[in-house]
Amino acid sequence: MTSPASSSEVKYLIESSEGNTFDVSGAALRQSNTFNAMFLNIGADGPIPFTDYNEATLKKVFEYCEHSVNEENYSGPKHQDDLSKWDLNFFNEMDQKMFIDVINASNFLDIERLTSYCCERIARMLRGKNTQEMIKVITLPTAEELEAKQKVEEKKAAAAKKVAEKAAETAEKTETLEELPVQQLVQTTRNKLTRKYLSFSNE
Amino acid sequence: MSSPFSLLRLPRVVLCEVLKSLSIGEKILLSLCSKRISTQINNAQFYSQKVIVNLDMLCQGIRVHSENNKDTFEIFPYLISSSSHNSDIHQFPIAGCSTPGFSIPTGIKIFWNNHREGFLYLIRHLLKMFKCNISADISYYNCDILQPVIFELFDLQVEFKKLTISLNGSEDEHLFWNQISNKLGLVEDLIIYYWVRYLFRPDFISWPQNITIMNSTGVTLRFLFACTSPTITLFKSLLDNNDLDVILRRWKTGGLLNLEHLQIQSELLKNNGTTILGMKLWDLDGMVIQNDDGSKKATIRVGVQCIEMSVTSSD
């Protein structure tokens, strides 16, 4: 079910890179500035495609958003020591790959609170260390890996463009429907159903 | 997450946020891990806070600190010959070259062929990383190291928080002064120690925000009226009551246009028969005078052999 979000009861369908869909509450989804900018006021026609991220990553991200729905409004980065037990468990149960995927997804979805906590967690890995200790903590990528990273960023930019285009298309459709007089709208729907009926009959 | 973390695979915005939350020292240490990381830190300079780079020649080092002085880091350039006995030495990439060094609790020690080169490379490295304000103290004992650094910084239009210069009247000093006198607009606080026995009187082509001359026996009224610095402080001056009278009258008629604060300390400021604006010196204490067009007023404070004048707008 997808419709303009006005209450926390509204559910949105999210589509992952595997093509799987799952529900996310409007309240959780509204923590994403990317979502707010693209879909909040116009709704979405069908599942929202966040197809650059796998289901596990997206579910993890939105698990965080669902949890923080009832927390007070975000007011800037918090020190890691101030994180709740739930927050700490949330981060601790992730392996490194999942952590990086979550950072990437959170960054794309522009979820300030989650991105900020992830950044703080990375900063903590570096604090109080000398250069040699820092080198042990961070992996220095090869030229090939950096090239691959650039390609991934280009791909993400293309995906973001695709999402934006879809949002614009949906907005256009909504406006067109709103502009049609009721009688014309009824006639259009009737024509569509007739065509559908005829196609069934031919089969 | 005990395995190595791929820092450079993070999205740029995230990496910038991580860098923003590190201290000055952590950023510097991280920049020494690899050229690529150093480049990323330089690219994130926009997010970085302003730092003050203090060229501390007494300690033969560079102290990098925040404006509130709470976050500090020290870098000591040592001569390369003294590096052979330390087992903790590693190669650090600095400003396009690789140099040996090691960490100490308050910062790092880095080894160079000579101090001058060390200071130049380190400052180039820091200038790429941070928005730097420089603080330096140039004297006869360090001028061979610091003068080339100062030239380069002025050429790069880097702002100086504080520049202290001890003038001793040597030929080198004349040349040095001539090369920097048109760049002093980049300096917030200029402090000059003047060696009385030398006759060299520096010409100013540009002026700092605040100028303090510690031994200002050579400072004349002509110098004072040419000065466009808002804050002027003269210690050990030879200006007397008559000069003060001229200064105040000139200010009233529109002279010393930029002046906000003037402090003169002189043995010749005395409460004798000579009047200033028709009054005795001590009678001026606490007085508020106004300039002729009524746009500004100045509060006068008189101390022992000292006078202060604070200018405010009449509004």
Side-chain angles (χ1 to χ4, degrees):
Chain A
M1 185 280 176
T2 56
S3 67
S6 56
S7 92
S8 58
E9 299 303 316
V10 178
K11 296 276 186 187
Y12 287 81
L13 270 182
I14 301 293
E15 186 183 350
S16 68
S17 61
E18 301 95 328
N20 299 340
T21 56
F22 61 95
D23 281 346
V24 174
S25 77
L29 204 46
R30 278 198 297 281
Q31 291 182 45
S32 158
N33 292 329
T34 304
F35 166 80
N36 289 338
M38 290 178 174
F39 297 101
L40 183 64
N41 295 320
I42 55 170
D45 186 15
I48 301 172
F50 291 134
T51 49
D52 217 31
Y53 304 98
N54 63 37
E55 188 179 0
T57 304
L58 289 171
K59 279 189 169 168
K60 193 76 185 163
V61 168
F62 287 115
E63 178 194 343
Y64 189 86
C65 294
E66 296 282 6
H67 174 77
S68 49
V69 161
N70 296 323
E71 285 190 12
E72 64 214 39
N73 287 338
Y74 178 66
S75 58
K78 230 181 350 180
H79 196 268
Q80 184 88 356
D81 294 340
D82 300 331
L83 291 184
S84 67
K85 199 177 169 188
W86 188 95
D87 288 325
L88 288 173
N89 282 340
F90 174 83
F91 285 114
N92 288 340
E93 67 189 18
M94 277 188 268
D95 62 14
Q96 195 188 107
K97 187 185 174 307
M98 173 63 91
F99 182 57
I100 293 191
D101 288 346
V102 165
I103 294 171
N104 280 312
S106 176
N107 177 53
F108 171 76
L109 293 166
D110 195 5
I111 302 166
E112 284 179 44
R113 190 193 302 244
L114 180 56
T115 308
S116 158
Y117 290 170
C118 289
C119 290
E120 173 61 22
R121 201 168 168 79
I122 299 164
R124 256 173 100 90
M125 294 178 193
L126 301 168
R127 291 218 174 101
K129 294 190 166 61
N130 65 33
T131 300
Q132 291 312 304
E133 290 163 341
M134 282 180 176
I135 288 172
K136 283 177 192 164
V137 171
I138 56 175
T139 321
L140 302 174
T142 61
E144 291 77 26
E145 285 172 324
L146 285 171
E147 199 181 320
K149 182 194 169 190
Q150 197 183 337
K151 278 182 186 167
V152 168
E153 285 196 354
E154 282 168 7
K155 200 179 155 192
K156 276 180 195 162
K161 197 180 165 191
K162 198 173 147 190
V163 171
E165 279 170 3
K166 188 159 184 183
E169 198 182 299
T170 312
E172 205 174 288
K173 272 185 196 171
T174 313
E175 278 169 21
T176 315
L177 286 173
E178 278 169 2
E179 281 165 13
L180 287 174
V182 177
Q183 279 182 336
Q184 201 182 335
L185 195 61
V186 169
Q187 187 59 47
T188 312
T189 315
R190 190 175 288 159
N191 291 343
K192 275 184 185 173
L193 288 170
T194 311
R195 276 202 297 277
K196 207 170 185 179
Y197 171 75
L198 286 172
S199 67
F200 273 122
S201 305
N202 292 336
E203 279 171 13
Chain B
M1 281 188 298
S2 54
S3 54
F5 183 83
S6 306
L7 197 67
L8 293 183
R9 285 195 195 153
L10 291 172
R12 191 166 294 172
V13 181
V14 173
L15 184 58
C16 286
E17 282 300 312
V18 172
L19 294 174
K20 203 166 87 175
S21 70
L22 297 178
S23 70
I24 292 170
E26 285 157 358
K27 267 182 232 163
I28 294 173
L29 290 171
L30 190 61
S31 76
L32 301 177
C33 288
S34 82
K35 278 184 194 172
R36 284 191 192 120
I37 287 183
S38 181
T39 307
Q40 287 298 324
I41 293 173
N42 297 345
N43 290 342
Q45 196 200 35
F46 173 76
Y47 294 89
S48 181
Q49 79 274 39
K50 262 191 177 180
V51 299
I52 294 164
V53 177
N54 185 5
L55 310 181
D56 187 343
M57 297 312 292
L58 279 176
C59 300
Q60 296 264 306
I62 298 173
R63 187 168 171 269
V64 190
H65 59 96
S66 58
E67 287 180 300
N68 64 9
N69 226 349
K70 284 183 179 169
D71 188 3
T72 65
F73 190 77
E74 292 171 325
I75 309 172
F76 297 99
Y78 275 59
L79 290 180
I80 209 152
S81 57
S82 56
S83 69
S84 54
H85 302 298
N86 197 315
S87 58
D88 293 329
I89 288 176
H90 302 280
Q91 290 292 316
F92 293 137
I94 293 180
C97 68
S98 180
T99 188
F102 65 92
S103 297
I104 55 170
T106 57
I108 45 168
K109 289 184 177 180
I110 294 191
F111 298 94
W112 298 88
N113 290 325
N114 62 65
H115 279 113
R116 196 173 105 177
E117 191 182 78
F119 269 90
L120 272 172
Y121 274 84
L122 285 168
I123 289 169
R124 278 180 203 148
H125 186 81
L126 294 171
L127 283 173
K128 284 181 187 167
M129 287 182 69
F130 299 105
K131 290 170 188 157
C132 299
N133 259 345
I134 307 292
S135 176
D137 186 343
I138 303 177
S139 194
Y140 67 93
Y141 65 87
N142 64 26
C143 59
D144 57 327
I145 298 172
L146 270 193
Q147 282 186 4
V149 178
I150 302 293
F151 290 147
E152 175 155 339
L153 293 173
F154 274 133
D155 283 344
L156 293 169
Q157 298 288 308
V158 175
E159 290 178 3
F160 279 70
K161 176 80 182 157
K162 187 168 148 190
L163 180 60
T164 307
I165 304 176
S166 297
L167 296 172
N168 63 10
S170 68
E171 269 303 312
D172 284 350
E173 196 177 83
H174 282 234
L175 287 171
F176 172 67
W177 186 265
N178 290 339
Q179 282 177 280
I180 67 162
S181 64
N182 62 342
K183 309 272 176 61
L184 295 173
L186 293 165
V187 180
E188 193 175 321
D189 293 327
L190 177 67
I191 299 167
I192 298 177
Y193 282 85
Y194 221 150
W195 288 42
V196 184
R197 62 180 180 276
Y198 292 103
L199 293 173
F200 173 54
R201 298 282 179 267
D203 289 325
F204 284 76
I205 297 172
S206 60
W207 296 90
Q209 277 292 303
N210 310 310
I211 182 166
T212 302
I213 303 180
M214 303 308 285
N215 304 314
S216 59
T217 50
V219 172
T220 59
L221 287 179
R222 194 176 155 203
F223 170 92
L224 204 57
F225 294 143
C227 178
T228 59
S229 301
T231 304
I232 306 168
T233 306
L234 306 174
F235 290 108
K236 292 192 177 176
S237 161
L238 291 179
L239 297 174
D240 60 15
N241 290 13
N242 285 325
D243 295 321
L244 187 58
D245 186 54
V246 174
I247 292 165
L248 295 181
R249 285 180 195 282
R250 176 68 77 98
W251 177 80
K252 277 171 77 68
T253 55
L256 292 158
L257 198 62
N258 297 331
L259 190 67
E260 289 172 8
H261 189 265
L262 171 68
Q263 184 180 347
I264 301 170
Q265 187 255 315
S266 166
E267 285 181 13
L268 301 178
L269 289 173
K270 289 176 181 170
N271 201 31
N272 54 21
T274 322
T275 57
I276 302 149
L277 296 178
M279 286 173 275
K280 287 185 176 176
L281 182 66
W282 281 103
D283 294 339
L284 278 173
D285 187 34
M287 276 207 62
V288 178
I289 58 171
Q290 197 161 31
N291 66 355
D292 290 350
D293 67 8
S295 62
K296 292 176 188 173
K297 54 186 180 183
T299 306
I300 314 279
R301 295 274 169 214
V302 180
V304 179
Q305 298 178 344
C306 175
I307 187 159
E308 265 186 81
M309 175 182 175
S310 302
V311 180
T312 52
S313 164
S314 283
D315 305 334

